Amino acid sequence: MLRKASQKLQQIQQEQQASAATQAVIKNQAALTQDKNTPTYGPANGKVTVIEFFDYQCIYCSRLAPVMEQVIKENPQTRFAFKEWPIFGACCPSLTAAKTGLQIYQQKGAEAYLTYHNGIYATGHNEGKLTAADVQQQAKKVNFDAKKAPDVAAALESTNQLAQEIGLSGTPGVIVMPTTGATEATITVFPGLADKDSLDAAIKKAGGN
């Protein structure tokens, strides 16, 4: 009986946390789907946006990366927003990789950004193994000019504040929602690793194909 009561309490707490996260998403719709400093891929008028908060050094983000790559390929009418959230900070070099990603997006555009993004994960270096040389190598592949790189500190801080407002406790964090007019019934929040079937279902729930 105690075990059942504990499980029931845990379920209630999880439901309350999910509801609070969903309400925070509704409150921050514009910041999640319309922020010009956030790298996006896919049609600007896509009805559904998939937002991922991630750190290149996070092993679970690394496991999610090939899944997201497949979801992107199979959903050409969906927008994808990449929230660089280097929770490992200056370590190994999460912050450098995140800054470079944002700078590449601003300098070279969406295709170059996605190439860099997937290239970093393709190194297989996470949990402290990513190096500055890895970042430079992937940036070089898209002809990134570091000398002309814009300052992206404000964008990174904005993402950090947004993640905290939504209640994300770590990476990855994935939100699937209508690009505009999201409601509690059309939003899905994954506070952690998500599988492809769950992401597909969330896109459909949000109004996608």
Side-chain angles (χ1 to χ4, degrees):
M1 289 181 66
L2 286 173
R3 184 181 299 171
K4 286 183 178 180
S6 177
Q7 289 174 343
K8 182 65 175 178
L9 179 60
Q10 186 176 15
Q11 181 183 352
I12 292 172
Q13 289 174 336
Q14 288 174 344
E15 289 173 354
Q16 289 174 339
Q17 288 173 351
S19 179
T22 301
Q23 292 303 318
V25 166
I26 292 172
K27 181 182 176 182
N28 291 281
Q29 285 187 63
L32 286 163
T33 65
Q34 307 297 331
D35 179 29
K36 293 180 180 179
N37 293 317
T38 297
T40 59
Y41 186 86
N45 62 347
K47 293 181 179 179
V48 175
T49 300
V50 178
I51 305 105
E52 181 188 5
F53 289 76
F54 64 94
D55 183 315
Y56 287 114
Q57 276 293 276
C58 166
I59 191 168
Y60 298 106
C61 297
S62 182
R63 291 173 183 173
L64 178 62
V67 175
M68 289 294 289
E69 199 170 346
Q70 188 175 0
V71 171
I72 289 170
K73 288 179 181 178
E74 293 180 6
N75 293 274
Q77 300 306 312
T78 298
R79 292 176 74 243
F80 292 83
F82 302 90
K83 295 288 189 181
E84 301 268 2
W85 190 27
I87 59 173
F88 286 85
C91 171
C92 358
S94 283
L95 185 57
T96 300
K99 282 183 176 180
T100 304
L102 290 176
Q103 290 167 338
I104 286 172
Y105 178 71
Q106 292 191 26
Q107 187 181 107
K108 307 294 290 186
E111 289 289 348
Y113 173 80
L114 193 63
T115 297
Y116 167 83
H117 177 85
N118 290 335
I120 291 289
Y121 282 123
T123 65
H125 296 169
N126 52 59
E127 294 289 287
K129 296 177 182 177
L130 187 69
T131 67
D134 290 328
V135 175
Q136 291 170 3
Q137 183 179 17
Q138 297 307 317
K140 188 176 180 180
K141 287 182 180 180
V142 296
N143 298 315
F144 171 61
D145 186 351
K147 294 178 182 178
K148 297 180 181 179
D151 183 10
V152 294
L156 287 169
E157 179 54 32
S158 177
T159 294
N160 182 49
Q161 291 179 0
L162 181 60
Q164 292 182 37
E165 280 193 40
I166 293 169
L168 297 178
S169 57
T171 55
V174 180
I175 299 163
V176 184
M177 61 190 292
T179 302
T180 59
T183 64
E184 192 165 355
T186 56
I187 294 169
T188 305
V189 179
F190 297 98
L193 197 57
D195 60 40
K196 185 176 181 300
D197 288 345
S198 298
L199 289 166
D200 287 340
I203 290 172
K204 187 174 182 181
K205 175 182 172 182
N209 296 331

